[in-house]
Amino acid sequence: MKHKVIIIGHGTISRKYLAAIGNLDDMAVVSVLGRNAEKVKLYAEKNGIPYHGTNLEELVNISKPSIALICTPNATHYQNVLDAASCGLHVLCEKPLHIDPEKQNEMLEYCKNNDVKLGVCFGRRFIRHIRYVKDFIDSGKLGKILVIDAFIKLWRDSKYYTESSWHGCPEIDGGGPFIQQGAHIIDLALWFGGGYQNVISSDLFTLHHPVAVEDHGYAVIKYRNDAVGFIEASTVCKGQNDNRIEISGTNGSIHVNFTEICHWQVDGCKKPDFSSEENIFYEQLKDFKNSIDNNEAPFVNGESAKLATELIAELYSKAKVCKGNLPVKN
């Protein structure tokens, strides 16, 4: 087996990667690290993972992995990445890289100094129709990009926050739907826009959930390609599950979500057909494996991925905050 993986954290998202790794011939999970010895043991036994424990160095010494897959809460990524890199492991980290831009830069520098790869799981960049739209924009066929609008309109019930020790906790989550549910679509908007120049304005609201972060908000962004755009991020839109970007250029407009190109009106260009679906977890793992084999940067590397947190941090710092209808817990 060419690539052995240790999973750090064994929450819900880790199961997606376990399934994807099972479809890669030269990659296998050899160990899993957790905080609770009993829980991590049950996880390892249920999923046929040879080694488990609560001490990283001990697990690395016994299971000999080459890759660490970080599947822990947002703010814990910093120490997880540094610990894995200090053991000489290449690191693939769940999104966002961190909630603090300065800590992100430290993580990048630490991995560079330890000569290990750092990839970030913004897997939506691997969706075929989204990659097509990115290439189409970069080709100039959409003309000068004028507007990039992003919408994250979702519903989370109270249990999502009250039954978790970290959802809605600013010290761990980093904020509400902008940095948690919205990180993927914001990463794509930045990808399409070539990065960003500044946050023009932002407004945060706590309309329904008893949390110390926003559950609804708006922001206006100036992108690096001079486009301007609007971002709406919400977990109070019951009956909706909308992650969408609308891009308008001088030659037309394209709207995309995670499953399809939902609007295409471009001068002289027919809407492409994408009928097959891909497993983005499989594609991300395969790319990361290839980046190690070929000594190349991962498709979604730390330098590129850090922009989402930088934008969101500026958005939060400039926001006008309205508490809404419910008291915010301290």
Side-chain angles (χ1 to χ4, degrees):
M1 183 57 59
K2 191 169 184 178
H3 295 282
K4 297 179 180 180
V5 179
I6 179 171
I7 296 179
I8 299 178
H10 47 86
T12 302
I13 196 66
S14 68
R15 297 168 201 154
K16 299 282 189 180
Y17 293 103
L18 267 177
I21 290 170
N23 291 319
L24 287 163
D25 293 335
D26 55 354
M27 184 179 284
V29 176
V30 293
S31 51
V32 56
L33 177 76
R35 293 179 299 171
N36 182 293
E38 176 101 13
K39 289 182 179 179
V40 75
K41 178 183 178 183
L42 290 173
Y43 182 91
E45 291 175 346
K46 180 178 179 180
N47 293 288
I49 299 172
Y51 301 101
H52 59 84
T54 58
N55 184 286
L56 178 61
E57 288 189 17
E58 290 178 1
L59 275 179
V60 168
N61 288 335
I62 195 171
S63 63
K64 308 296 183 186
S66 58
I67 296 172
L69 177 60
I70 312 297
C71 297
T72 58
N74 297 350
T76 63
H77 293 171
Y78 176 80
Q79 197 60 53
N80 294 149
V81 168
L82 267 58
D83 289 346
S86 69
C87 292
L89 305 180
H90 300 289
V91 184
L92 183 58
C93 182
E94 248 302 315
K95 65 81 186 169
L97 181 58
H98 198 265
I99 63 176
D100 182 337
E102 290 187 10
K103 286 191 178 296
Q104 286 189 142
N105 289 328
E106 292 176 23
M107 294 157 80
L108 266 67
E109 189 67 18
Y110 197 84
C111 288
K112 180 181 178 181
N113 291 340
N114 282 270
D115 196 27
V116 297
K117 306 291 183 190
L118 175 60
V120 182
C121 297
F122 278 123
R124 300 310 197 277
R125 293 198 208 177
F126 289 91
I127 298 173
R128 287 179 62 231
H129 69 270
I130 287 175
R131 292 181 73 165
Y132 180 91
V133 170
K134 166 64 173 171
D135 291 341
F136 192 86
I137 291 170
D138 289 349
S139 74
K141 294 178 182 177
L142 196 57
K144 178 177 173 56
I145 306 304
L146 304 174
V147 178
I148 301 174
D149 289 332
F151 303 87
I152 313 100
K153 303 183 74 171
L154 310 171
W155 170 254
R156 293 291 183 270
D157 61 22
S158 296
K159 289 182 180 179
Y160 175 82
Y161 295 102
T162 60
E163 294 185 359
S164 166
S165 62
W166 60 283
H167 284 314
C169 174
E171 294 79 16
I172 301 176
D173 242 358
F178 274 104
I179 198 164
Q180 187 61 16
Q181 291 78 18
H184 279 296
I185 207 79
I186 289 172
D187 173 70
L188 292 181
L190 287 164
W191 199 38
F192 291 154
Y196 80 103
Q197 296 185 44
N198 65 292
V199 176
I200 297 170
S201 65
S202 60
D203 297 274
L204 303 179
F205 303 85
T206 306
L207 299 178
H208 181 69
H209 300 104
V211 291
V213 295
E214 87 282 3
D215 58 12
H216 188 82
Y218 306 94
V220 179
I221 312 298
K222 178 76 174 291
Y223 290 92
R224 183 68 62 189
N225 62 6
D226 288 331
V228 295
F230 175 81
I231 302 175
E232 178 181 8
S234 182
T235 55
V236 300
C237 296
K238 193 164 188 176
Q240 291 190 253
N241 184 21
D242 190 10
N243 288 273
R244 185 177 80 259
I245 297 182
E246 301 178 355
I247 312 108
S248 295
T250 52
N251 292 340
S253 293
I254 300 171
H255 302 175
V256 296
N257 58 29
F258 295 154
T259 58
E260 64 178 340
I261 297 174
C262 37
H263 172 83
W264 179 282
Q265 189 67 46
V266 182
D267 296 344
C269 296
K270 185 179 178 181
K271 180 181 177 181
D273 179 35
F274 290 92
S275 55
S276 62
E277 295 184 2
E278 56 278 284
N279 185 318
I280 59 175
F281 297 93
Y282 173 88
E283 295 296 333
Q284 178 122 42
L285 287 160
K286 184 174 71 172
D287 171 79
F288 192 67
K289 172 182 71 71
N290 290 340
S291 77
I292 298 169
D293 292 343
N294 301 320
N295 195 25
E296 299 171 345
F299 185 60
V300 187
N301 57 44
E303 191 67 36
S304 172
K306 73 174 187 172
L307 292 180
T309 294
E310 290 177 350
L311 170 64
I312 295 164
E314 183 176 337
L315 181 158
Y316 283 155
S317 71
K318 290 185 175 180
K320 296 192 296 290
V321 180
C322 303
K323 301 304 182 185
N325 303 319
L326 288 178
V328 176
K329 66 181 181 181
N330 295 324

